[in-house]
Amino acid sequence: MIIPHQQLDKDTLYNLIESYVLREGTDYGEQEFSIESKVAQVSQQLNSGEAMVFFSELHESVTIISKSEFKALQSEEQFNE
């Protein structure tokens, strides 16, 4: 289930993004990014619709996923039906 990020409390959203960034890491090859920089990038991706806040009822967890990951999940669910 997609959760509109605009409906989340500002601090809650920041903590969710920060947690996501820490899980994913900040080392992207030759260039490392600061946590603050990566949080800003993910925030921009949420605002542009490239990423979304996703609640998994199956796993009872919330995370941030890309639009392509969401489409893959939808395809997988349709395939399993």
Side-chain angles (χ1 to χ4, degrees), residues 4 11 14 22 50 57 59 66 70 73-75 79:
D11 291 335
Y14 181 86
L22 291 172
E50 294 175 47
E57 294 172 2
H59 299 107
S66 69
F70 180 69
L73 284 173
Q74 286 182 313
S75 295
F79 179 75

Side-chain angles (χ1 to χ4, degrees), residues 4-50:
H5 71 279
Q6 304 90 336
Q7 293 182 1
L8 297 175
D9 176 75
K10 184 177 92 172
D11 291 335
T12 301
L13 180 59
Y14 181 86
N15 290 334
L16 177 63
I17 294 171
E18 186 178 56
S19 173
Y20 172 76
V21 166
L22 291 172
R23 280 193 316 267
E24 296 298 313
T26 57
D27 184 7
Y28 295 94
E30 293 182 23
Q31 184 176 11
E32 266 193 53
F33 294 94
S34 69
I35 291 173
E36 294 80 17
S37 172
K38 195 63 186 149
V39 166
Q41 289 175 3
V42 173
S43 180
Q44 186 171 4
Q45 290 171 352
L46 287 168
N47 288 328
S48 71
E50 294 175 47

